[in-house]
Amino acid sequence: MLLGGLRHLRFQLRKTESTLTPGIRLRSVCSSSGLPFQEGGGKAPSFSETRWKDTAETVIIGGGCVGVSLAYHLAKAGMKDVVLLEASELTAGSTWHAAGLTTYFHPGINLKKIHYYSIKLYEKLEEETGQVVGFHQPGSIRLATTPTRVDEFKYQMTRTRWHATEQYLIEPEKVQEMFPLLNMEKVLAGLYNPGDGHIDPYSLTMALAAGARKYGALLKFPARVTNLKPRSDGTWEVETPQGSIQANRIVNATGFWAREVGKLIGLEHPLIPVHHQYVVTATIPEVKALKRELPVLRDLEGSYYLRQERDGLLFGPYESQEKMKVQDSWVINGVPPGFGKELFESDLDRIMEHVEAAMDMVPVLRKADIINIVSGPITYSPDILPMVGPHQGVRNYWVAIGFGYGIIHAGGVGKYLSDWILSGEPPFDLIELDPNRYGKWTTTQYTETKARESYGFNNIVGYPKEERFAGRPTKRISGIYNILKSKCSMGFHAGWEQPHWFYKPGQEPGYKPSFRRTNWFQPVGSEYQQVMQKVGVIDLTPFGKFKVRGKDSLKLLDRLFANVIPKVGFTNISHMLTPKGRVYAELTVCQQSPGEFLLITGSGSELHDLRWIEEEIVKGGYDVEIENITDELGVLGVAGPSARSVLQKLTSADLSNDAFKFLQSKPLTISNIPVTAIRISYTGELGWELYHRQEDSAMLYGAIMEAGQEEGIDNFGTYAMNALRMEKAFRAWGSEMNCDTNPLEAGLDHFIKLNKPADFIGKQALKQMKEKGLKRRLVYLTLETDHVDPEGNESIWHDGKVVGNTTSGSYSYSVQKSLAFAYVPMELSKMGQKVEVELLGKNYPATIIQEPLVLTEPTRARLQKKAGNSQV
């Protein structure tokens, strides 16, 4: 059957297939196409051991490539009593029919490390285990057929150069040389990754299983988990038809069965199975005549991947969200009993436009015979990224679920989780995979809507400051959302809607993504001036907020935080460190009354931080209560030189500098509304954060805006706040500091009290770092650019070499230059040092300057007072 005759083929298939096609194995059809075929005739043992264990250090539930990889890595690292339980047979689910693509590329930063580790592991796995894995590494090319896509490739190049990954932007001539079967009419450039390719998922899993057994792990199947019972000591009773196992921890790695396993302990994991199809052709003479294997091709505008399969081709499209199909019946009714190595009926109507795009780009496809169409389930989370790590609210329950690209993630995630389990902290920052990024606001409807969007957006242009709008808003809206929504461009933060920037009449509204300055640039400049010269109001409701109380609360926080604990009525910025001395979190700590604290963190860190605190409470046996009050409290920030005069009109409390000092916290009534007022502002200007009941937000906002008419009060958003904090050289968690950095290199010395009596987590590690000295340091840069500003994660160049990376950046509306933070080697960290920052394929000159560019309001006031006293 010719590929050009797909519609006729669809009719033939439908006469012979049922909706679920049981028993289709296709082992004899394709070699490394993601179907169970071992290249070179190697035999991969798939036996289950007859022995049984009543206890285990770790029980992994799920025998796909991710679960087996974790078993391999834990056992290899020396953990005794690793048990993997699989309901049917290894690779059942999504692994066995996967297309098996492997790539170094990822638009994220640390996910590149996951991909890199996976490929390096797969390269040596056959030698280590004696199992053939069918690994092909012809490289891969992403095609740019529009100028915007070329910009995206340049954007990704600067984000990759400071990593170990090899990646090159190549000209059309080089693309054609490497893939001579292409129609080059539309090709403008290619993004080439040497070492990319594809692997046989079945053989890969069997090799990992052989390695896991070699190092002592027990892989048991069929062994369906029928119940999970938490014990009071934090261990688990794992029940199966063969018996029970008492486990110190359990790991859910069950693919599209993850929801069922989660429900056993009362969790609703936000996952949904989607249908993914790929087409396999018979031998194509032009392919067979080639002297080397074709690189994997990704036509991003056509939204499909294509690779060589023996002497034919395999290609798989990603349909639009309107055409793609989710298996929502599984969410409602569960996965059908016995489903494991079955497929769905193919539906060629859904993918015809992509088939036609592929035939246009690779014309030899038009005459190709089809030998198979595979349509199988893969699992999607709302944002397409997997969920990896310990789960908040349930002790010793870990997940490795939601893998839309499980083959390339399996090796790296197995190593990442193994390191985390064994050392007690993540080996590097991957908060974008934190299962706790979702919460009670993540409904089934939201999950389906976002999964549709994420699948359909698989190959869209990845802009900085990207926003996606499906499923919004959730139930997480502040009390002033309805007042502001028509006046601003909203951003999405952990389920919340928060104003990014505001537009005035005559200004271009809405979300207009670009790699350069776009419609928000001038309005944000106006908001910046608003705060610097008058007074502005910002909605900060998305902050994570916890109440901590109890007789051991002070002792707990002294153990958790590297800073001293503030006195009653005061606030400070404090950091939770890992045992190895890296920055796990940054919080605002406020002692409201003796032993009672309000902790405040960023919106994206809410459950990430709460889980860490809860774990320490249990570990240390502290008599403490912690309550998550994030959704109960609204927060308004009021900042600018006129902030005091506006708020003073609404309260009888004295807000003067002497009566209400910087970093003080007081209960007040503002326009008869009770608030907790903290004199702090991330803008670095005079300001207060007002914490209040959510239901009072609209009334409080209205009173403040009315009171500020004389002062010219107005709104501002998070883009302006970022510009203001950058000028004050304020660090941001997730950018300047995270689990990849220590507080000394990040310049957080002021907040780290090594001489405080308490042995806070990470203290000993920091002392050792201080003795050894630092290898790199965070510096502050100005740079001259043209309509483009640093965002973070761009390459820093010096003497023709990449020497570091930016962490965040913005435009400075005061000096009209770009600003950036960057990590560079110590020898290049002196004031006045010249370096270059790569932006969109061009290196811009930059200079390390003294921080901050603009002094904070408390510092200006102190210096002014000191100068006045000197004159007196």
Side-chain angles (χ1 to χ4, degrees):
M1 178 57 61
L2 295 180
L3 195 52
L6 272 175
R7 293 187 183 277
H8 177 59
L9 174 65
R10 172 174 54 83
F11 174 73
Q12 285 188 322
L13 284 173
R14 284 185 175 170
K15 286 196 298 184
T16 58
E17 291 184 346
S18 58
T19 302
L20 295 178
T21 311
I24 291 185
R25 301 299 176 99
L26 308 172
R27 295 189 182 186
S28 62
V29 176
C30 305
S31 55
S32 54
S33 66
L35 298 168
F37 181 94
Q38 291 80 55
E39 292 191 2
K43 292 184 178 180
S46 58
F47 62 86
S48 174
E49 299 183 47
T50 56
R51 61 194 175 104
W52 183 259
K53 289 188 175 182
D54 295 323
T55 61
E57 182 70 21
T58 300
V59 166
I60 301 159
I61 310 170
C65 59
V66 173
V68 177
S69 174
L70 178 56
Y72 162 84
H73 281 95
L74 284 172
K76 187 175 181 179
M79 179 178 283
K80 307 299 181 185
D81 296 328
V82 177
V83 176
L84 181 144
L85 302 175
E86 162 56 43
S88 57
E89 59 181 295
L90 299 185
T91 77
S94 296
T95 296
W96 74 278
H97 63 74
L101 299 181
T102 56
T103 178
Y104 284 113
F105 177 87
H106 196 281
I109 297 304
N110 278 348
L111 269 167
K112 297 182 200 300
K113 295 181 181 180
I114 295 292
H115 287 215
Y116 185 87
Y117 178 87
S118 290
I119 290 175
K120 294 305 178 186
L121 171 67
Y122 301 166
E123 287 176 345
K124 63 185 180 183
L125 198 57
E126 186 173 324
E127 179 183 353
E128 180 184 347
T129 65
Q131 298 295 326
V132 175
V133 296
F135 195 18
H136 295 240
Q137 294 184 274
S140 78
I141 302 173
R142 284 169 170 76
L143 296 180
T145 56
T146 68
T148 300
R149 192 68 77 172
V150 175
D151 275 349
E152 181 189 24
F153 286 4
K154 292 175 179 177
Y155 176 68
Q156 288 302 334
M157 283 302 300
T158 189
R159 293 163 62 85
T160 301
R161 291 193 204 275
W162 54 281
H163 285 264
T165 298
E166 270 193 274
Q167 185 169 288
Y168 304 96
L169 186 60
I170 59 176
E171 297 294 326
E173 295 76 16
K174 186 65 174 177
V175 173
Q176 187 170 32
E177 177 189 329
M178 298 177 71
F179 204 115
L181 304 181
L182 277 183
N183 173 2
M184 297 298 296
E185 288 178 4
K186 299 177 182 177
V187 177
L188 301 178
L191 196 65
Y192 171 55
N193 287 98
D196 281 12
H198 53 98
I199 195 167
D200 172 22
Y202 181 85
S203 299
L204 167 65
T205 306
M206 292 306 159
L208 289 166
R213 293 188 184 100
K214 173 183 174 182
Y215 298 117
L218 170 64
L219 277 56
K220 191 72 179 174
F221 54 90
R224 180 178 298 278
V225 173
T226 55
N227 202 10
L228 296 169
K229 292 182 178 179
R231 296 162 60 96
S232 59
D233 62 355
T235 62
W236 289 88
E237 199 73 35
V238 182
E239 296 181 359
T240 77
Q242 289 91 333
S244 295
I245 305 176
Q246 186 176 334
N248 289 352
R249 74 186 56 77
I250 54 176
V251 184
N252 182 350
T254 54
F256 53 68
W257 289 279
R259 288 181 64 92
E260 276 91 327
V261 173
K263 285 178 179 178
L264 292 177
I265 57 173
L267 294 177
E268 288 280 346
H269 293 309
L271 300 168
I272 195 161
V274 304
H275 291 225
H276 180 63
Q277 303 182 93
Y278 61 81
V279 177
V280 185
T281 77
T283 294
I284 299 172
E286 293 88 343
V287 175
K288 187 173 184 177
L290 295 170
K291 294 182 179 179
R292 63 175 181 268
E293 183 175 353
L294 290 167
V296 177
L297 192 74
R298 290 176 176 85
D299 179 359
L300 303 176
E301 258 48 64
S303 193
Y304 64 86
Y305 56 83
L306 179 147
R307 68 169 177 81
Q308 188 170 333
E309 175 59 33
R310 290 190 171 181
D311 292 329
L313 295 172
L314 175 155
F315 68 95
Y318 290 95
E319 312 93 286
S320 67
Q321 56 185 305
E322 294 80 18
K323 290 187 176 181
M324 63 85 66
K325 185 175 181 180
V326 300
Q327 194 65 26
D328 48 8
S329 64
W330 290 11
V331 176
I332 300 166
N333 304 318
V335 181
F339 190 96
K341 287 201 169 179
E342 289 73 35
L343 295 171
F344 297 129
E345 180 183 1
S346 61
D347 181 357
L348 297 174
D349 283 340
R350 293 209 318 267
I351 64 172
M352 277 310 299
E353 65 180 285
H354 306 283
V355 171
E356 288 163 3
M359 290 190 295
D360 182 53
M361 186 62 74
V362 186
V364 297
L365 279 171
R366 292 191 182 277
K367 297 181 180 180
D369 288 321
I370 296 173
I371 58 173
N372 217 339
I373 300 172
V374 175
S375 178
I378 56 176
T379 308
Y380 263 46
S381 69
D383 63 8
I384 211 172
L385 294 174
M387 301 164 65
V388 176
H391 205 287
Q392 186 271 329
V394 190
R395 290 172 64 189
N396 298 316
Y397 174 73
W398 295 62
V399 296
I401 55 180
F403 290 88
Y405 313 98
I407 305 306
I408 185 56
H409 287 153
V413 165
K415 171 66 170 168
Y416 180 82
L417 272 182
S418 172
D419 287 353
W420 191 347
I421 288 169
L422 291 166
S423 71
E425 64 179 272
F428 48 87
D429 181 71
L430 269 181
I431 194 170
E432 63 265 44
L433 303 192
D434 190 343
N436 307 300
R437 67 188 186 272
Y438 300 115
K440 294 177 181 178
W441 54 270
T442 318
T443 62
T444 300
Q445 181 181 356
Y446 173 85
T447 299
E448 178 177 340
T449 303
K450 293 302 284 188
R452 284 184 175 278
E453 178 187 57
S454 294
Y455 187 91
F457 281 8
N458 237 290
N459 292 305
I460 66 163
V461 175
Y463 290 102
K465 296 183 170 68
E466 184 185 56
E467 287 293 320
R468 297 187 176 186
F469 296 96
R472 295 170 53 182
T474 71
K475 69 176 184 179
R476 275 192 147 179
I477 55 174
S478 78
I480 59 173
Y481 168 76
N482 289 320
I483 298 172
L484 301 180
K485 65 180 181 181
S486 63
K487 304 175 183 178
C488 66
S489 180
M490 289 280 184
F492 188 74
H493 301 271
W496 295 97
E497 299 290 329
Q498 186 174 28
H500 276 172
W501 62 279
F502 290 81
Y503 32 82
K504 303 295 184 187
Q507 293 177 337
E508 185 181 11
Y511 173 65
K512 309 287 183 184
S514 174
F515 293 100
R516 295 169 176 80
R517 295 168 191 161
T518 181
N519 60 329
W520 53 262
F521 183 72
Q522 293 299 335
V524 170
S526 300
E527 293 173 34
Y528 167 89
Q529 297 297 342
Q530 176 73 35
V531 176
M532 290 297 290
Q533 297 172 8
K534 298 178 183 178
V535 57
V537 179
I538 185 170
D539 186 1
L540 299 174
T541 299
F543 281 161
K545 317 162 197 89
F546 317 128
K547 182 79 74 174
V548 177
R549 61 170 72 89
K551 73 181 185 71
D552 290 339
S553 58
L554 190 63
K555 185 179 175 184
L556 167 70
L557 299 188
D558 226 6
R559 169 67 176 161
L560 282 169
F561 293 115
N563 204 347
V564 295
I565 306 306
K567 296 176 181 178
V568 174
F570 282 86
T571 299
N572 70 14
I573 304 299
S574 294
H575 299 85
M576 295 194 297
L577 308 181
T578 71
K580 293 181 181 177
R582 293 177 292 188
V583 186
Y584 188 82
E586 179 182 76
L587 292 89
T588 301
V589 180
C590 173
Q591 188 165 189
Q592 296 179 297
S593 60
E596 185 166 319
F597 294 86
L598 175 64
L599 307 184
I600 304 148
T601 188
S603 57
S605 304
E606 176 195 346
L607 300 182
H608 169 272
D609 295 0
L610 180 60
R611 187 203 64 80
W612 186 265
I613 296 168
E614 288 173 338
E615 188 175 276
E616 184 58 30
I617 291 172
V618 172
K619 194 185 301 180
Y622 296 97
D623 186 358
V624 167
E625 291 178 22
I626 183 165
E627 182 184 2
N628 186 356
I629 54 174
T630 298
D631 291 349
E632 297 171 24
L633 293 186
V635 189
L636 294 179
V638 183
S642 298
R644 179 179 284 118
S645 63
V646 171
L647 292 177
Q648 191 65 79
K649 298 176 188 179
L650 300 172
T651 183
S652 59
D654 186 354
L655 301 183
S656 68
N657 192 57
D658 289 337
F660 205 138
K661 295 180 172 59
F662 178 56
L663 293 180
Q664 262 193 296
S665 169
K666 293 184 179 183
L668 301 178
T669 55
I670 302 286
S671 189
N672 296 318
I673 297 169
V675 305
T676 294
I678 304 176
R679 193 178 150 197
I680 194 172
S681 176
Y682 200 38
T683 66
E685 294 303 306
L686 174 66
W688 280 264
E689 290 175 358
L690 307 175
Y691 293 78
H692 56 276
R693 297 184 309 168
Q694 271 270 35
E695 52 266 39
D696 292 335
S697 289
M699 192 180 303
L700 179 62
Y701 173 82
I704 293 170
M705 296 303 284
E706 185 177 345
Q709 291 304 302
E710 184 181 341
E711 288 82 0
I713 197 167
D714 210 343
N715 298 294
F716 71 104
T718 58
Y719 284 6
M721 185 164 68
N722 184 61
L724 288 155
R725 74 97 183 171
M726 283 295 299
E727 288 192 349
K728 307 304 193 304
F730 290 166
R731 278 75 170 148
W733 192 89
S735 299
E736 284 68 58
M737 51 180 149
N738 54 26
C739 287
D740 297 328
T741 60
N742 69 67
L744 305 180
E745 65 188 5
L748 298 172
D749 309 58
H750 177 71
F751 304 100
I752 308 300
K753 308 301 183 187
L754 286 172
N755 59 350
K756 81 171 188 176
D759 184 23
F760 61 83
I761 298 170
K763 186 176 187 178
Q764 300 310 314
L766 287 189
K767 286 182 176 179
Q768 291 174 11
M769 288 178 198
K770 208 163 186 178
E771 288 176 11
K772 291 179 180 178
L774 300 176
K775 294 181 179 179
R776 64 171 190 168
R777 191 168 74 86
L778 189 72
V779 296
Y780 194 50
L781 303 170
T782 57
L783 56 159
E784 301 274 2
T785 65
D786 44 14
H787 305 296
V788 59
D789 297 299
E791 293 281 337
N793 298 309
E794 295 97 355
S795 294
I796 302 291
W797 292 76
H798 182 258
D799 281 350
K801 295 180 180 179
V802 175
V803 295
N805 63 280
T806 61
T807 55
S808 58
S810 74
Y811 182 76
S812 167
Y813 292 92
S814 66
V815 299
Q816 298 182 5
K817 293 181 179 180
S818 291
L819 283 176
F821 278 116
Y823 278 105
V824 298
M826 290 298 292
E827 61 270 21
L828 296 176
S829 66
K830 296 181 177 63
M831 300 302 154
Q833 175 70 54
K834 304 290 185 182
V835 293
E836 295 173 316
V837 180
E838 181 185 348
L839 302 172
L840 295 182
K842 181 179 176 181
N843 285 12
Y844 292 90
T847 305
I848 298 177
I849 64 167
Q850 177 70 46
E851 59 180 76
L853 185 67
V854 177
L855 294 173
T856 63
E857 181 275 335
T859 302
R860 298 196 304 264
R862 189 171 64 250
L863 292 175
Q864 190 175 9
K865 184 176 181 180
K866 186 176 180 181
N869 290 339
S870 298
Q871 290 174 0
V872 172

